[in-house]
Every structure is written in C-alpha cells, then in structure tokens.
Amino acid sequence: MEKIKYFEEEIGYICDNSLKSDIVFLINKLPDYFFEIPASSTGKYHPAYAISKGGLLKHTKVATKIAKVLLDNETIGMNFSSREKDLIIMALIIHDGLKKGVCEEKYTVFEHPLLVSRLIMENKDYLRMDEDDIKILCDMIESHMGRWNINPVTKMEVLPKPDNKLAKFVHMCDYLSSRKFLNVSFDDNFNIVE
C-alpha cells in the first residue's frame, strides 16, 4: 500500500523539509486498516462522509484541511509560528492513526491517542525532530479528545485534556471535523473536492 499518496496534499502544507521527512516516516508506520475503516463503526459521532469505507482517512483529511484554512487566516494564523503550524498539521495527520489499536481490534481503542504517542517515542531515533518538538507533537495527539478523556468502561480519566494553545487548536480541528452538519465531498482518490 502506498500510504503517502493519500496525504500528498497535507504533507505539502508542511514548510520545514525535515518535518516533512518525519511525517512521511510516521505515516508509513500506520497500519493498513487506518486507510480503509470508517471513522465510526456506529455512525453516532461522525458525519455521513466519515462512516463509509475510508471514513477515518476522510475525517483525518478534513481535520487537517480545517487546520490549514484557519492557520492561513491572518487573524488566527498570526498566533502561531511556522514551526507550530507544521507540528499542528503533523499531529492532525496521525492523531487517529492507531484508532483500533496496533493490531486491528473490533472497536475503537479508547487509549488510541496514547498508542500513537508511544509509536512516535519508539521511533524517535529515526526522526529528525528534536526532543522538544517530539514532546509538543505527542502532547497534541494525546489530548486531542478534549473533554472525552474518561474511559466509559473503567470510568477512569485516561487521557489528558488539552492545556495549551496548540493542543486546544488540534482538539478544535478534530472536533469540528466530526460534526454531523459537515457535508464534504471527495474524489475517487480521497482528495477533498472544493
């Protein structure tokens, strides 16, 4: 599977070439199922475009597109450095990369943000990012669920809540891309049709 072809446009949003190289490496570490499954098995928490084959990929691309549009807006984008913008895009590309676990499980794995963070940490020696960037990236991914941080089965708080502007921005983009009122069209190659 040529995983990178699905994210050519989104990789292009990243300005720093070393970060582009890192996101390519990380995308290639994602399991094949990520590119095929719906974002929601029940359809309860995502719009129509995200509940069919490739729905998780579509949800991810919409979250990343929302970020790109907002970060390109002068009023909003001026609050973030170029590096922060790149890290935000990276976080959104892989935030749900292990949604059904390292090996595909039947249902969403609640701790999936922590699994993605662990994947990054386990491969940090292959990345060009420094420790600070890795920490920022992992923080955004770990907290992307926002207030939905309590495991419904164990009733325990498992995930951190976003507590800084980058993490809050990533959560907002992820949240907006899951709203049922969105009606986004895609071409046959999973690219957003504008």
Coordinates of all heavy atoms in Angstrom, one line a residue, residues 38-108:
P38 N -14.1 2.9 8.6 CA -14.9 4.2 8.8 C -14.4 4.9 10.1 O -13.7 4.2 10.9 CB -16.3 3.7 9.1 CG -16.3 2.2 8.9 CD -14.9 1.7 8.7
A39 N -14.6 6.1 10.2 CA -14.2 6.9 11.4 C -15.0 6.4 12.6 O -14.6 6.5 13.8 CB -14.4 8.4 11.2
S40 N -16.2 5.9 12.4 CA -17.1 5.5 13.5 C -17.8 4.2 13.0 O -18.4 4.2 11.9 CB -18.1 6.6 13.8 OG -19.1 6.1 14.7
S41 N -17.8 3.2 13.8 CA -18.5 2.0 13.4 C -20.0 2.1 13.5 O -20.8 1.4 12.8 CB -18.0 0.8 14.2 OG -18.1 1.0 15.6
T42 N -20.4 3.0 14.4 CA -21.9 3.2 14.6 C -22.5 4.3 13.8 O -23.7 4.4 13.7 CB -22.1 3.5 16.1 OG1 -21.5 4.7 16.5 CG2 -21.6 2.3 17.0
G43 N -21.6 5.3 13.4 CA -22.1 6.5 12.8 C -22.7 7.5 13.7 O -23.1 8.6 13.3
K44 N -22.5 7.2 15.0 CA -23.1 8.1 16.1 C -22.3 9.4 16.2 O -22.9 10.4 16.5 CB -23.1 7.3 17.4 CG -23.8 7.9 18.5 CD -23.8 6.9 19.7 CE -24.5 7.6 20.9 NZ -24.5 6.7 22.0
Y45 N -21.0 9.4 16.0 CA -20.2 10.5 16.3 C -19.5 11.2 15.1 O -18.7 12.1 15.3 CB -19.1 10.1 17.3 CG -19.7 9.6 18.6 CD1 -19.5 8.3 18.9 CD2 -20.4 10.4 19.5 CE1 -20.1 7.8 20.1 CE2 -21.0 9.9 20.6 CZ -20.8 8.6 21.0 OH -21.3 8.1 22.1
H46 N -19.9 10.9 13.9 CA -19.2 11.5 12.7 C -20.3 11.7 11.6 O -21.3 11.0 11.6 CB -18.1 10.6 12.2 CG -16.9 10.5 13.1 ND1 -16.8 9.7 14.3 CD2 -15.8 11.2 13.1 CE1 -15.7 9.9 14.9 NE2 -15.0 10.9 14.2
P47 N -19.9 12.6 10.7 CA -20.8 12.9 9.6 C -20.9 11.8 8.6 O -20.0 10.9 8.6 CB -20.3 14.2 9.0 CG -18.9 14.2 9.4 CD -18.8 13.5 10.7
A48 N -21.8 11.9 7.7 CA -22.0 10.8 6.7 C -20.8 10.4 5.9 O -20.5 9.3 5.7 CB -23.2 11.2 5.7
Y49 N -20.0 11.4 5.5 CA -18.8 11.1 4.7 C -17.8 10.3 5.4 O -16.9 9.6 4.8 CB -18.1 12.4 4.2 CG -17.4 13.2 5.3 CD1 -16.1 12.8 5.7 CD2 -18.0 14.3 5.8 CE1 -15.5 13.6 6.7 CE2 -17.3 15.1 6.8 CZ -16.1 14.7 7.2 OH -15.4 15.4 8.2
A50 N -17.8 10.2 6.8 CA -16.8 9.5 7.6 C -17.3 8.1 8.0 O -16.5 7.5 8.7 CB -16.5 10.4 8.8
I51 N -18.4 7.7 7.6 CA -18.9 6.4 8.2 C -18.9 5.3 7.1 O -19.5 4.2 7.3 CB -20.3 6.5 8.8 CG1 -21.3 7.1 7.9 CG2 -20.2 7.4 10.1 CD1 -22.8 7.0 8.4
S52 N -18.3 5.6 6.0 CA -18.1 4.6 4.9 C -16.7 4.1 4.8 O -15.8 4.6 5.6 CB -18.6 5.2 3.6 OG -17.8 6.3 3.3
K53 N -16.4 3.3 3.9 CA -15.0 2.8 3.6 C -14.1 4.0 3.5 O -14.4 5.0 2.7 CB -15.0 1.9 2.4 CG -13.6 1.4 2.1 CD -13.6 0.4 1.0 CE -12.3 0.1 0.4 NZ -11.5 -0.9 1.0
G54 N -13.0 4.0 4.2 CA -12.1 5.1 4.1 C -12.5 6.3 4.9 O -11.9 7.4 4.9
G55 N -13.5 6.2 5.8 CA -14.1 7.3 6.6 C -13.1 7.9 7.5 O -13.1 9.1 7.8
L56 N -12.2 7.0 8.2 CA -11.3 7.6 9.1 C -10.2 8.4 8.4 O -9.8 9.5 8.9 CB -10.6 6.4 9.9 CG -9.6 6.9 11.0 CD1 -10.2 7.8 12.0 CD2 -9.0 5.6 11.7
L57 N -9.8 8.0 7.2 CA -8.9 8.8 6.4 C -9.6 10.1 6.0 O -8.9 11.2 6.1 CB -8.5 8.0 5.1 CG -7.7 8.7 4.1 CD1 -6.4 9.1 4.6 CD2 -7.6 7.8 2.8
K58 N -10.8 10.1 5.6 CA -11.6 11.3 5.3 C -11.7 12.2 6.5 O -11.4 13.4 6.3 CB -12.9 10.9 4.7 CG -12.9 10.2 3.4 CD -14.3 9.8 3.0 CE -14.3 9.0 1.7 NZ -15.7 8.5 1.4
H59 N -12.0 11.7 7.6 CA -12.1 12.5 8.8 C -10.8 13.2 9.1 O -10.7 14.4 9.4 CB -12.5 11.6 10.0 CG -12.1 12.2 11.3 ND1 -12.9 13.2 11.9 CD2 -11.1 11.9 12.2 CE1 -12.3 13.5 13.1 NE2 -11.2 12.7 13.3
T60 N -9.7 12.5 8.9 CA -8.4 13.0 9.2 C -8.0 14.1 8.2 O -7.5 15.1 8.6 CB -7.3 11.8 9.1 OG1 -7.7 10.9 10.1 CG2 -5.9 12.3 9.3
K61 N -8.4 13.9 6.9 CA -8.1 14.9 5.9 C -8.9 16.2 6.2 O -8.4 17.3 6.0 CB -8.3 14.3 4.5 CG -7.3 13.2 4.2 CD -7.6 12.6 2.8 CE -7.3 13.4 1.6 NZ -5.9 13.6 1.4
V62 N -10.1 16.0 6.6 CA -11.0 17.2 6.9 C -10.4 17.9 8.1 O -10.3 19.2 8.1 CB -12.5 16.8 7.1 CG1 -13.3 18.0 7.6 CG2 -13.0 16.3 5.8
A63 N -10.0 17.2 9.1 CA -9.5 17.9 10.3 C -8.2 18.7 9.9 O -8.0 19.8 10.4 CB -9.1 16.9 11.4
T64 N -7.4 18.1 9.1 CA -6.2 18.7 8.6 C -6.5 19.9 7.7 O -5.8 21.0 7.8 CB -5.3 17.7 7.9 OG1 -5.1 16.6 8.7 CG2 -3.9 18.3 7.6
K65 N -7.5 19.8 6.9 CA -7.9 20.9 6.0 C -8.5 22.1 6.8 O -8.2 23.3 6.5 CB -9.0 20.4 5.0 CG -9.4 21.5 4.0 CD -8.2 21.8 3.1 CE -8.7 22.4 1.8 NZ -7.7 22.5 0.8
I66 N -9.2 21.8 7.8 CA -9.8 22.8 8.7 C -8.6 23.6 9.4 O -8.6 24.8 9.4 CB -10.7 22.2 9.8 CG1 -12.0 21.8 9.2 CG2 -10.9 23.2 10.9 CD1 -12.9 20.9 10.1
A67 N -7.6 22.9 9.8 CA -6.4 23.5 10.4 C -5.7 24.4 9.4 O -5.4 25.5 9.7 CB -5.4 22.4 10.9
K68 N -5.5 23.9 8.2 CA -4.8 24.6 7.2 C -5.6 25.9 6.8 O -5.0 27.0 6.8 CB -4.7 23.8 5.9 CG -4.2 24.5 4.7 CD -2.7 24.9 4.8 CE -2.2 25.4 3.5 NZ -1.1 26.3 3.7
V69 N -6.9 25.9 6.7 CA -7.7 27.1 6.4 C -7.6 28.1 7.5 O -7.4 29.3 7.3 CB -9.1 26.7 6.1 CG1 -10.0 27.9 6.0 CG2 -9.2 25.9 4.8
L70 N -7.7 27.6 8.7 CA -7.7 28.5 9.9 C -6.3 29.1 10.1 O -6.1 30.3 10.4 CB -8.1 27.8 11.1 CG -9.6 27.5 11.2 CD1 -9.9 26.6 12.4 CD2 -10.5 28.7 11.2
L71 N -5.2 28.3 9.9 CA -3.9 28.8 10.1 C -3.5 29.7 8.9 O -2.6 30.6 9.1 CB -2.9 27.6 10.1 CG -3.0 26.7 11.4 CD1 -2.2 25.5 11.3 CD2 -2.7 27.5 12.7
D72 N -4.1 29.6 7.8 CA -3.8 30.5 6.7 C -4.6 31.9 6.9 O -4.2 32.8 6.2 CB -4.2 29.9 5.3 CG -3.2 28.9 4.8 OD1 -2.1 28.8 5.4 OD2 -3.5 28.2 3.8
N73 N -5.5 31.9 7.7 CA -6.3 33.1 8.0 C -5.4 34.0 8.9 O -4.9 33.6 9.9 CB -7.6 32.7 8.8 CG -8.4 33.9 9.2 OD1 -8.0 34.7 10.1 ND2 -9.5 34.2 8.5
E74 N -5.2 35.2 8.4 CA -4.3 36.1 9.1 C -4.6 36.3 10.6 O -3.7 36.4 11.4 CB -4.2 37.5 8.3 CG -3.2 38.5 8.9 CD -3.3 39.8 8.1 OE1 -3.2 39.7 6.9 OE2 -3.4 40.8 8.8
T75 N -5.9 36.5 10.9 CA -6.3 36.8 12.2 C -6.0 35.6 13.2 O -5.5 35.8 14.3 CB -7.8 37.1 12.3 OG1 -8.1 38.1 11.4 CG2 -8.3 37.4 13.7
I76 N -6.1 34.4 12.7 CA -5.9 33.2 13.5 C -4.4 32.8 13.4 O -3.8 32.5 14.4 CB -6.8 32.1 13.2 CG1 -8.3 32.5 13.4 CG2 -6.5 30.8 13.9 CD1 -9.3 31.7 12.8
G77 N -4.0 32.7 12.2 CA -2.6 32.2 11.9 C -1.5 33.0 12.6 O -0.4 32.4 12.9
M78 N -1.7 34.3 12.8 CA -0.6 35.1 13.3 C -0.3 34.7 14.8 O 0.7 35.1 15.3 CB -1.0 36.6 13.3 CG -2.2 36.9 14.2 SD -2.7 38.6 14.1 CE -1.7 39.3 15.4
N79 N -1.1 33.9 15.4 CA -0.9 33.4 16.8 C 0.0 32.2 16.8 O 0.3 31.7 17.9 CB -2.2 33.1 17.4 CG -3.1 34.3 17.6 OD1 -2.7 35.3 18.1 ND2 -4.3 34.2 17.1
F80 N 0.5 31.7 15.7 CA 1.3 30.5 15.6 C 2.5 30.7 14.8 O 2.4 31.3 13.7 CB 0.5 29.3 15.1 CG -0.7 29.0 15.9 CD1 -2.0 29.5 15.5 CD2 -0.7 28.1 16.9 CE1 -3.1 29.2 16.3 CE2 -1.8 27.8 17.7 CZ -3.0 28.4 17.3
S81 N 3.6 30.2 15.2 CA 4.9 30.3 14.4 C 4.8 29.3 13.3 O 3.9 28.4 13.3 CB 6.1 30.0 15.3 OG 6.1 28.6 15.6
S82 N 5.6 29.4 12.3 CA 5.7 28.5 11.2 C 5.9 27.0 11.7 O 5.3 26.1 11.2 CB 6.8 28.9 10.2 OG 6.8 27.9 9.1
R83 N 6.8 26.9 12.6 CA 7.1 25.6 13.2 C 5.9 25.0 13.9 O 5.6 23.8 13.8 CB 8.3 25.6 14.2 CG 8.7 24.3 14.6 CD 10.2 24.1 14.3 NE 10.7 22.8 14.5 CZ 11.3 22.1 13.6 NH1 11.5 22.6 12.4 NH2 11.8 21.0 13.8
E84 N 5.2 25.8 14.7 CA 4.0 25.4 15.4 C 2.9 24.9 14.4 O 2.3 23.9 14.6 CB 3.4 26.5 16.3 CG 4.3 26.8 17.5 CD 3.8 28.0 18.3 OE1 3.2 28.9 17.7 OE2 4.1 28.0 19.5
K85 N 2.8 25.7 13.3 CA 1.8 25.3 12.3 C 2.2 23.9 11.7 O 1.3 23.1 11.5 CB 1.8 26.3 11.2 CG 1.2 27.7 11.6 CD 1.2 28.7 10.5 CE 0.7 30.0 10.9 NZ 0.8 31.0 9.8
D86 N 3.4 23.7 11.4 CA 3.9 22.4 10.9 C 3.6 21.3 11.9 O 3.1 20.2 11.5 CB 5.4 22.4 10.6 CG 5.7 23.2 9.3 OD1 4.8 23.6 8.6 OD2 7.0 23.4 9.1
L87 N 3.8 21.5 13.1 CA 3.6 20.5 14.1 C 2.1 20.2 14.3 O 1.7 19.0 14.5 CB 4.2 20.8 15.5 CG 5.8 20.8 15.5 CD1 6.3 21.5 16.7 CD2 6.3 19.4 15.3
I88 N 1.3 21.2 14.2 CA -0.2 21.0 14.3 C -0.6 20.2 13.1 O -1.4 19.2 13.3 CB -0.9 22.4 14.2 CG1 -0.7 23.1 15.6 CG2 -2.4 22.3 13.8 CD1 -1.2 24.6 15.6
I89 N -0.2 20.4 11.9 CA -0.6 19.6 10.7 C -0.1 18.2 10.9 O -0.9 17.3 10.7 CB 0.0 20.2 9.4 CG1 -0.6 21.7 9.2 CG2 -0.2 19.3 8.2 CD1 -2.1 21.7 8.9
M90 N 1.1 18.0 11.4 CA 1.6 16.7 11.6 C 0.7 15.9 12.6 O 0.4 14.8 12.4 CB 3.0 16.7 12.2 CG 4.0 17.2 11.1 SD 5.7 17.3 11.8 CE 6.1 15.6 12.0
A91 N 0.4 16.6 13.7 CA -0.4 16.0 14.8 C -1.8 15.5 14.2 O -2.3 14.4 14.5 CB -0.6 16.9 15.9
L92 N -2.4 16.4 13.4 CA -3.7 16.0 12.8 C -3.6 14.9 11.8 O -4.5 14.1 11.8 CB -4.4 17.3 12.2 CG -4.9 18.2 13.3 CD1 -5.2 19.6 12.7 CD2 -6.1 17.7 14.0
I93 N -2.6 14.8 11.1 CA -2.4 13.7 10.1 C -2.4 12.4 10.8 O -3.0 11.4 10.3 CB -1.2 13.9 9.2 CG1 -1.4 15.1 8.3 CG2 -0.8 12.7 8.4 CD1 -0.1 15.5 7.5
I94 N -1.8 12.3 11.9 CA -1.6 11.0 12.6 C -2.4 10.8 13.9 O -2.3 9.7 14.5 CB -0.1 10.6 12.8 CG1 0.6 11.6 13.7 CG2 0.6 10.5 11.4 CD1 2.0 11.3 14.1
H95 N -3.2 11.8 14.3 CA -3.8 11.7 15.6 C -4.7 10.5 15.8 O -4.7 9.9 16.9 CB -4.7 13.0 15.9 CG -6.0 13.0 15.1 ND1 -6.1 13.4 13.8 CD2 -7.2 12.8 15.6 CE1 -7.4 13.4 13.5 NE2 -8.1 13.0 14.5
D96 N -5.3 9.9 14.8 CA -6.2 8.7 15.0 C -5.5 7.5 14.3 O -6.2 6.5 14.0 CB -7.5 9.0 14.3 CG -8.5 9.7 15.2 OD1 -8.3 9.7 16.5 OD2 -9.5 10.2 14.7
G97 N -4.2 7.6 14.1 CA -3.5 6.5 13.3 C -3.6 5.1 13.8 O -3.5 4.2 13.1
L98 N -3.9 5.0 15.1 CA -4.0 3.7 15.8 C -5.4 3.6 16.5 O -5.5 3.0 17.6 CB -2.8 3.4 16.7 CG -1.5 3.4 16.1 CD1 -0.4 3.3 17.2 CD2 -1.3 2.2 15.2
K99 N -6.4 4.1 15.8 CA -7.7 4.2 16.4 C -8.2 2.8 16.9 O -9.0 2.7 17.9 CB -8.7 4.8 15.5 CG -10.0 5.2 16.2 CD -10.8 6.2 15.5 CE -12.0 6.6 16.3 NZ -12.7 7.7 15.6
K100 N -7.9 1.8 16.1 CA -8.3 0.4 16.5 C -7.2 -0.4 17.1 O -7.2 -1.6 17.0 CB -9.0 -0.3 15.4 CG -10.4 0.3 15.1 CD -11.2 -0.7 14.2 CE -12.7 -0.2 14.2 NZ -13.5 -1.2 13.5
G101 N -6.2 0.3 17.6 CA -5.1 -0.4 18.2 C -3.9 -0.7 17.2 O -4.0 -0.3 16.1
V102 N -2.8 -1.2 17.8 CA -1.6 -1.5 17.0 C -2.0 -2.6 16.0 O -1.7 -2.5 14.8 CB -0.5 -2.0 17.9 CG1 0.7 -2.4 17.1 CG2 -0.1 -0.8 18.8
C103 N -2.6 -3.7 16.5 CA -3.2 -4.7 15.6 C -4.7 -4.4 15.6 O -5.3 -4.2 16.7 CB -2.9 -6.1 16.1 SG -1.2 -6.5 16.2
E104 N -5.3 -4.4 14.5 CA -6.7 -4.0 14.4 C -7.7 -4.8 15.3 O -7.7 -6.0 15.2 CB -7.2 -4.1 13.0 CG -8.7 -3.6 12.8 CD -9.1 -3.7 11.3 OE1 -8.4 -4.2 10.5 OE2 -10.2 -3.2 11.1
E105 N -8.3 -4.1 16.2 CA -9.3 -4.7 17.1 C -10.7 -4.4 16.5 O -10.8 -3.6 15.6 CB -9.2 -4.1 18.5 CG -7.8 -4.5 19.1 CD -7.6 -4.1 20.5 OE1 -8.7 -3.9 21.3 OE2 -6.5 -3.9 21.0
K106 N -11.7 -5.0 17.1 CA -13.1 -4.8 16.6 C -13.6 -3.4 16.7 O -14.3 -2.9 15.9 CB -14.0 -5.8 17.3 CG -15.4 -5.8 16.7 CD -16.2 -6.9 17.3 CE -17.6 -6.9 16.6 NZ -18.5 -8.0 17.2
Y107 N -13.3 -2.8 17.9 CA -13.8 -1.5 18.2 C -12.7 -0.5 18.4 O -11.5 -0.9 18.6 CB -14.7 -1.5 19.4 CG -15.9 -2.4 19.3 CD1 -16.0 -3.6 19.9 CD2 -17.0 -2.1 18.5 CE1 -17.1 -4.5 19.8 CE2 -18.1 -2.9 18.3 CZ -18.1 -4.1 19.0 OH -19.2 -4.9 18.8
T108 N -13.1 0.8 18.5 CA -12.1 1.8 18.8 C -11.4 1.5 20.1 O -12.1 1.2 21.1 CB -12.8 3.2 18.9 OG1 -13.3 3.5 17.6 CG2 -11.9 4.3 19.4

